[in-house]
Amino acid sequence: MSEPPPESGRAARVMAALADGIIAVDEAGTIRICNPAAEELLGRSANELIGTPFGYPVVNGESTEIDLVLPGGRTRVVEMRATTATLVGEPLHVAALRDVTIRHEAEQEMEAELERNSMVIAVVAHEVRNPLTGIGMLVDMLREPEETFTDQERADVLDQIADRTSRLQALVKKLLTVAKIDAQAVRAMVEPVPVLEVILERLAEFADRPNVDVTCDPHVRVLADRSELSEILINYLENAFRYGAPPVEIHVAGRDGAVEIRVCDHGPGVPEAFRPRLFERFSRESRSRRESKGSGLGLWIVRSLAQANGGDAYFEPGDQGGSCFCVRLPEAPPT
């Protein structure tokens, strides 16, 4: 088909002034006219576009979204509205193109956020219900007349209430951390932090647990937010005590300008098929869901905080079985 006659020049100038990208194609689907906005959307000049196939069906009266693949492999989501026109006796299909990539990404993020919120609600409902039910039953027991229980039995009941309350407090703390991460409110206050000092502080919170073997040079320091390093260690230790088996070991070593902290146990380890999902939000291996309680948030929090501090978190199988959960953070320069 020949090029549009000169009379079509006025139409082309009108199209050039429109904000939307405009493409006019003939009956064979060949591009006959395009405006500068269409050039920008398609990442090609008018000279390159005119005379080439458009590649997308243009159906009169329909509005649809198409994924444009641009030169270099980039993509855009474009809303296309189509109509027909006759230009100097030639029937043309006219497509108005509007870049909706940002809107599309926002909608996807909103859908993902709604899904995350639904999962949060489900996890909270499940994890909170059992401790609260248990606390209610224990409180009812304490309301019985004094002669029903011995002093030791009452002390045992109070210990169980304290244990369930502690679990609820830990869950609330995790959920608050998740909310802070989701709101992008994690702003690491980086400073030189002595690793051994923080490890010993955290181990004091697990006084009722088996001894932990620590290997760490007292002079090793990382550049990190101290409170977030503490939270990383707490989550790793909770994970080792809950799912692993003694002995639990912590090994710290500097390497290539970074410090690697490894929390290892000698439990059953992690099934190979599940390892790629270990650090995903709400991810729990089926055996763990049956045998122990947990929100599936701890390792996701660890990786998020590690990355906020310029490092990363990862898993390695133990040399003699078990699991090693590792975090790598920038090493502080010597004083």
Side-chain angles (χ1 to χ4, degrees):
M1 183 176 291
S2 61
E3 293 295 318
E7 290 86 343
S8 67
R10 187 192 316 170
R13 288 194 297 272
V14 171
M15 289 169 59
L18 298 176
D20 288 349
I22 301 294
I23 291 284
V25 302
D26 60 23
E27 293 292 331
T30 301
I31 298 175
R32 307 292 291 163
I33 302 174
C34 67
N35 69 346
E39 295 179 81
E40 195 282 326
L41 276 176
L42 297 171
R44 298 165 64 191
S45 68
N47 289 336
E48 295 175 287
L49 290 169
I50 292 175
T52 65
F54 180 44
Y56 301 91
V58 181
V59 181
N60 183 37
E62 286 196 1
S63 177
T64 186
E65 287 187 357
I66 60 175
D67 294 324
L68 291 179
V69 180
L70 308 180
R74 295 181 299 118
T75 60
R76 280 182 177 150
V77 181
V78 174
E79 182 182 68
M80 181 172 68
R81 303 180 308 282
T83 187
T84 58
T86 301
L87 183 62
V88 195
E90 179 182 10
L92 295 175
H93 301 282
V94 181
L97 309 176
R98 177 168 297 175
D99 190 348
V100 294
T101 305
I102 295 176
R103 188 191 75 191
H104 191 264
E105 290 174 349
E107 289 173 350
Q108 287 184 321
E109 178 58 31
M110 183 178 298
E111 290 174 2
E113 184 63 27
L114 289 172
E115 184 177 354
R116 285 196 294 265
N117 288 341
S118 296
M119 292 182 71
V120 168
I121 292 170
V123 168
V124 171
H126 176 74
E127 299 297 332
V128 168
R129 180 183 57 199
N130 289 341
L132 283 179
T133 300
I135 289 172
M137 293 174 61
L138 293 167
V139 169
D140 287 340
M141 291 172 63
L142 290 177
R143 288 175 175 158
E144 295 292 327
E146 290 188 11
E147 59 271 14
T148 305
F149 291 105
T150 66
D151 290 343
Q152 182 59 52
E153 288 171 337
R154 286 186 174 275
D156 291 341
V157 170
L158 289 172
D159 286 342
Q160 292 183 52
I161 291 174
D163 177 67
R164 286 164 170 76
T165 302
S166 177
R167 280 165 43 195
L168 288 173
Q169 290 172 331
L171 176 60
V172 169
K173 183 179 179 181
K174 280 186 171 65
L175 292 172
L176 290 174
T177 301
V178 169
K180 188 169 75 169
I181 292 170
D182 281 344
Q184 298 181 338
V186 174
R187 298 289 183 268
M189 303 296 292
V190 174
E191 61 177 336
V193 180
V195 176
L196 180 59
E197 185 177 303
V198 177
I199 290 173
L200 295 178
E201 289 173 354
R202 299 290 66 81
L203 287 178
E205 300 180 24
F206 297 93
D208 59 336
R209 302 288 187 170
N211 288 337
V212 176
D213 184 13
V214 179
T215 304
C216 179
D217 186 324
H219 302 293
V220 172
R221 302 185 306 163
V222 295
L223 286 174
D225 185 298
R226 187 183 185 110
S227 65
E228 290 173 6
L229 173 59
S230 294
E231 191 155 0
I232 288 170
L233 288 169
I234 287 174
N235 278 290
Y236 269 176
L237 287 168
E238 285 179 346
N239 194 74
F241 291 133
R242 178 174 292 152
Y243 303 115
V248 174
E249 303 166 349
I250 301 177
H251 302 281
V252 181
R255 187 179 298 118
D256 301 327
V259 173
E260 184 183 62
I261 304 171
R262 302 166 61 86
V263 179
C264 303
D265 66 73
H266 290 73
V270 178
E272 188 171 355
F274 182 68
R275 292 172 190 173
R277 298 178 49 221
L278 263 174
F279 290 87
E280 293 179 4
R281 190 197 301 237
F282 299 121
S283 180
R284 291 192 298 167
E285 196 263 323
S286 58
R287 178 183 58 197
S288 298
R289 288 198 296 267
R290 291 193 303 267
E291 296 176 357
S292 184
K293 298 185 180 299
S295 61
L297 291 170
L299 295 180
W300 179 83
I301 289 173
V302 165
R303 174 166 283 176
S304 298
L305 294 180
Q307 291 175 344
N309 282 271
D312 203 359
Y314 48 96
F315 165 85
E316 291 180 356
D319 294 335
Q320 300 176 350
S323 304
C324 285
F325 288 89
C326 314
V327 61
R328 187 176 178 89
L329 295 169
E331 186 172 18
T335 56

